[in-house]
Amino acid sequence: METQATNVDAKVTANSTETAATPRPRKALGIALACTAGICWGISGVAASALFHHNHAITPLWVSQVRMTIAGLIMILVSLTQGESVAIWRNKRDALQLVMYGLLGLIPVQLFYFNAVHAGNPSIATILQFLGPFVIAFYYILFHHQLPTRSEVIGMVLAFGGTLLIITHGHFNTLAVSGAVLFWGGLSAIGVATNTLLPRALLRKYGSFATTGWGLLVAGLSLNVFGPVWSNPVHLAAPDWLLMSVIIVIGTLLAFILFAISLKHILPTTASLLDAFEPLSATVFSIIFLGISLSGMDIVGGVLIILAVMALAMDFRAIHWFRKRS
């Protein structure tokens, strides 16, 4: 790995003028937004878990269809009020990229993850999905010859270790992964990468609301190919409506907006890595609302994730003893 700080400064993302030397205020804002998005996704996961247990007629496909379609429509309406339009569909190349974002980014991140949970358990599914940052790092290494910075490497190791402790309670030898879990979990990890990388150019050109809204709508409507939502009517009681509202408003609308905006200020590897706040927040809210007890491993894992965020925010290039001569 190249260790000179001048070469770290030259690291840029594909089709972007953003560099690793992003001004600290912008980077701090991006980190805060991505962390909050992770917390929102954690809340959504707890709500979805409660929903699946309360109403067995509700499937991962149905939840994904409903949440993405409704959230997409709301975001599109908001984009119209902000002056953003349907111009994205007038450019064939951008329209194709938008469809790819919906099909190859948003669907794997949501539906494939829930399928992995259904085939196995949330612990294994979350571990596999959290491999997304590694997929992104591999993409940059393979296609752009860009090695990760020291802070990203340290943060990646700490966050992955912390997440692993939280979702397994340290009992690593008890994990049993079936072929179905590996398949869906692996696809969801790739989805984390594509969901992070695909919309970046569209976000800069058309804005967060229009891009994310149309992407969600494309993804939600496309899922009807696998099972029309109207062919599986589901009766929702009052608690089900409340949980679905949390999933749509907090876990979809707010989470995707915050994450999309964060990509304007930080690198994809950094933003995707901060998804570690999802299992952390899911653990905390599970304790509060589902009565799950907190183990020592949960505490250790949470500390590691916080340290990972600190590593991302720290400018190692300013520390003299980290500099080496090639």
Side-chain angles (χ1 to χ4, degrees):
M1 178 183 293
E2 181 62 52
T3 57
Q4 288 183 299
T6 53
N7 287 332
V8 174
D9 287 340
K11 178 179 179 181
V12 295
T13 59
N15 301 319
S16 174
T17 58
E18 179 184 5
T19 69
T22 301
R24 287 188 179 183
R26 285 187 57 203
K27 184 175 182 180
L29 174 61
I31 290 175
L33 292 173
C35 289
T36 306
I39 293 173
C40 291
W41 276 315
I43 294 174
S44 175
V46 173
S49 178
L51 186 63
F52 290 140
H53 282 87
H54 185 265
N55 193 332
H56 297 290
I58 296 177
T59 65
L61 176 62
W62 186 88
V63 172
S64 299
Q65 289 171 318
V66 174
R67 73 182 295 196
M68 288 195 289
T69 301
I70 295 178
L73 288 172
I74 294 174
M75 293 182 70
I76 291 171
L77 292 176
V78 173
S79 72
L80 294 176
T81 64
Q82 294 188 342
E84 299 176 8
S85 65
V86 295
I88 192 170
W89 293 106
R90 300 191 185 102
N91 186 307
K92 293 183 179 180
R93 182 175 180 178
D94 291 344
L96 177 60
Q97 187 173 357
L98 177 66
V99 173
M100 292 176 61
Y101 167 47
L103 299 182
L104 303 180
L106 293 169
I107 288 180
V109 161
Q110 299 201 41
L111 176 62
F112 293 174
Y113 169 74
F114 285 128
N115 282 341
V117 172
H118 186 266
N121 59 69
S123 297
I124 301 298
T126 306
I127 289 176
L128 293 175
Q129 188 180 56
F130 198 68
L131 294 175
F134 296 92
V135 177
I136 296 175
F138 181 75
Y139 165 81
Y140 277 111
I141 292 172
L142 184 63
F143 294 102
H144 298 285
H145 309 291
Q146 296 174 0
L147 296 179
T149 64
R150 293 184 185 88
S151 60
E152 288 173 343
V153 171
I154 294 174
M156 193 175 294
V157 172
L158 289 175
F160 183 77
T163 303
L164 195 61
L165 289 176
I166 287 177
I167 61 183
T168 65
H169 289 180
H171 302 295
F172 308 116
N173 59 337
T174 62
L175 299 179
V177 181
S178 67
V181 174
L182 284 173
F183 177 75
W184 292 115
L187 288 180
S188 70
I190 296 174
V192 170
T194 53
N195 180 65
T196 304
L197 296 170
L198 285 175
R200 287 176 60 81
L202 298 178
L203 288 169
R204 291 192 301 269
K205 188 174 182 180
Y206 299 102
S208 302
F209 284 94
T211 300
T212 309
W214 283 114
L216 286 169
L217 185 60
V218 167
L221 294 178
S222 298
L223 287 179
N224 287 289
V225 174
F226 303 99
V229 67
W230 55 84
S231 68
N232 182 31
V234 176
H235 174 71
L236 298 179
D240 299 331
W241 283 109
L242 177 61
L243 291 171
M244 277 301 298
S245 297
V246 171
I247 293 172
I248 294 172
V249 176
I250 297 179
T252 307
L253 281 173
L254 186 59
F256 275 96
I257 291 172
L258 294 176
F259 186 78
I261 297 175
S262 74
L263 293 177
K264 296 181 178 180
H265 305 293
I266 55 179
L267 296 169
T269 46
T270 304
S272 186
L273 178 59
L274 293 173
D275 281 344
F277 267 80
E278 178 180 352
L280 176 60
S281 62
T283 301
V284 173
F285 289 113
S286 293
I287 294 171
I288 296 175
F289 297 107
L290 303 181
I292 298 177
S293 60
L294 182 65
S295 70
M297 288 298 179
D298 291 323
I299 298 175
V300 174
V303 171
L304 287 177
I305 292 175
I306 298 301
L307 290 176
V309 178
M310 293 175 62
L312 289 175
M314 185 180 297
D315 187 2
F316 287 136
R317 291 163 299 163
I319 302 178
H320 179 73
W321 48 270
F322 264 97
R323 296 186 178 181
K324 299 180 182 178
R325 296 182 183 272
S326 58

